[in-house]
């Protein structure tokens, strides 16, 4: 890949981390160049080009002698209103219905478009979810990162902007607790099927597997509602 292309990719990943995934808050200092270049898998020279591009856009702010910080201007960047879904508990089924529309297509796109590194990331987080369930640990973060890795691999900015919605849906579904054992078992089985199709680069299979996963999630939520949860 050309250096210019790598710097654009690094800039896009940083943009997603700050604006879409909100892994860094306004005013927060970025990791040092060595750590950040390692995280992004690029050279320090390429990283500097990406930082300059985002500084020009007003996403980052370079403070001489202090480092690079997230600009407070990012608070005004449109996120389609998905960052504040505190009301989601009462709308969880609707939220999963929306997910069932776009996440299967996202899985198919990701299967076709993922780089080898992105594919490895998807499989690694899928494995982490499985371990958490088998060991009885909280899987919320691993589950969010698994779905986020898939959406990132679509290379579609507008799908990326739906990540806060996905994160909130995953966290709320896990936290509800009702029929948790059933949801966990469905998740293990569905994710295993998904990863099998990703390993084969079978986009149609991945799309169907994600649709099945969304259907199972909705079914469990329906059972919870019937039980009065």
């Amino acid at each position: 890949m050309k250096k210019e292309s790598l710097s654009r990719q690094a800039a896009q990943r940083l943009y997603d981390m700050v604006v879409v995934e909100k892994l860094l808050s306004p005013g927060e200092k970025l990791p040092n160049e060595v750590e950040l270049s390692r995280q992004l898998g690029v050279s320090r020279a390429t990283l500097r080009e990406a930082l300059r591009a985002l500084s020009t856009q007003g996403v980052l702010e370079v403070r001489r002698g202090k480092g690079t910080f997230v600009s407070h201007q990012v608070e005004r960047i449109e996120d389609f209103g998905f960052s504040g879904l505190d009301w989601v508990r009462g709308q969880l089924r609707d939220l999963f219905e929306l997910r069932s529309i776009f996440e299967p297509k996202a899985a198919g796109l990701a299967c076709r478009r993922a780089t080898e590194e992105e594919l490895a990331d998807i499989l690694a987080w899928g494995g982490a979810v499985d371990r958490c369930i088998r060991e009885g640990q909280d899987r919320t973060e691993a589950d969010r990162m698994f779905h986020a890795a898939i959406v990132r691999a679509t290379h579609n900015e507008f799908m990326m902007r739906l990540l806060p919605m996905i994160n909130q849906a995953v966290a709320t579904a896990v936290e509800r607790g009702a029929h948790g054992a059933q949801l966990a078992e469905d998740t293990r089985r569905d994710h295993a099927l998904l990863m099998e199709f990703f390993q084969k680069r079978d986009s149609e299979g991945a799309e169907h597997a994600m649709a099945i996963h969304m259907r199972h999630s909705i079914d469990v939520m329906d059972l919870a509602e019937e039980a009065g949860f």
Side-chain angles (χ1 to χ4, degrees):
M1 275 188 179
K2 294 181 179 179
K3 186 177 181 181
E4 180 184 8
S5 177
L6 283 175
S7 66
R8 283 203 304 269
Q9 288 184 29
Q12 182 64 53
R13 180 69 188 107
L14 274 172
Y15 179 92
D16 291 340
M17 289 169 63
V18 171
V19 178
V20 181
E21 299 172 67
K22 301 188 186 300
L23 299 178
L24 296 164
S25 304
E28 186 174 346
K29 184 179 180 180
L30 268 64
N32 62 52
E33 281 190 358
V34 175
E35 173 62 20
L36 196 53
S37 61
R38 184 191 64 79
Q39 288 182 24
L40 298 174
V42 297
S43 69
R44 293 172 68 180
T46 299
L47 174 64
R48 291 190 194 107
E49 291 183 17
L51 294 176
R52 280 196 294 270
L54 292 179
S55 297
T56 300
Q57 295 176 31
V59 175
L60 301 178
E61 176 185 340
V62 178
R63 301 177 190 172
R64 192 175 299 278
K66 294 184 178 181
T68 303
F69 296 77
V70 177
S71 171
H72 286 281
Q73 293 184 48
V74 299
E75 295 174 313
R76 298 194 295 270
I77 296 177
E78 178 61 61
D79 68 355
F80 297 108
F82 289 128
S83 60
L85 296 179
D86 294 334
W87 46 265
V88 76
R89 285 185 180 274
Q91 307 288 339
L92 194 55
R93 194 182 193 283
D94 289 350
L95 194 50
F96 268 83
E97 283 182 350
L98 179 58
R99 288 182 66 192
S100 72
I101 293 171
F102 82 86
E103 280 203 70
K105 292 296 182 184
L109 285 175
C111 209
R112 293 194 296 272
R113 297 177 178 176
T115 65
E116 290 304 313
E117 292 78 12
E118 288 169 338
L119 179 59
D121 199 32
I122 291 169
L123 298 177
W125 283 113
V129 174
D130 182 73
R131 285 193 300 276
C132 287
I133 293 174
R134 283 189 288 104
E135 296 171 8
Q137 299 176 356
D138 181 12
R139 70 179 186 277
T140 306
E141 182 62 19
D143 210 343
R144 282 200 303 245
M145 294 301 292
F146 175 67
H147 286 275
I150 292 173
V151 175
R152 277 198 299 272
T154 67
H155 296 226
N156 183 301
E157 180 177 350
F158 290 96
M159 284 190 175
M160 280 293 299
R161 287 173 181 263
L162 296 174
L163 269 180
M165 180 192 69
I166 296 173
N167 291 342
Q168 190 68 41
V170 169
T172 305
V174 173
E175 290 167 3
R176 280 183 68 160
H179 296 279
Q182 182 63 56
L183 183 60
E185 183 55 37
D186 287 345
T187 296
R188 278 195 69 194
R189 183 177 61 252
D190 296 347
H191 281 197
L193 184 60
L194 258 172
M195 290 191 290
E196 180 181 338
F197 286 123
F198 269 105
Q199 286 175 318
K200 296 176 180 178
R201 292 277 188 176
D202 183 339
S203 59
E204 185 176 350
E207 183 174 333
H208 288 310
M210 183 64 83
I212 291 170
H213 182 40
M214 291 297 103
R215 181 67 256 175
H216 284 157
S217 298
I218 291 174
D219 286 345
V220 170
M221 276 180 281
D222 286 344
L223 286 173
E225 289 178 3
E226 291 173 5
F229 290 96

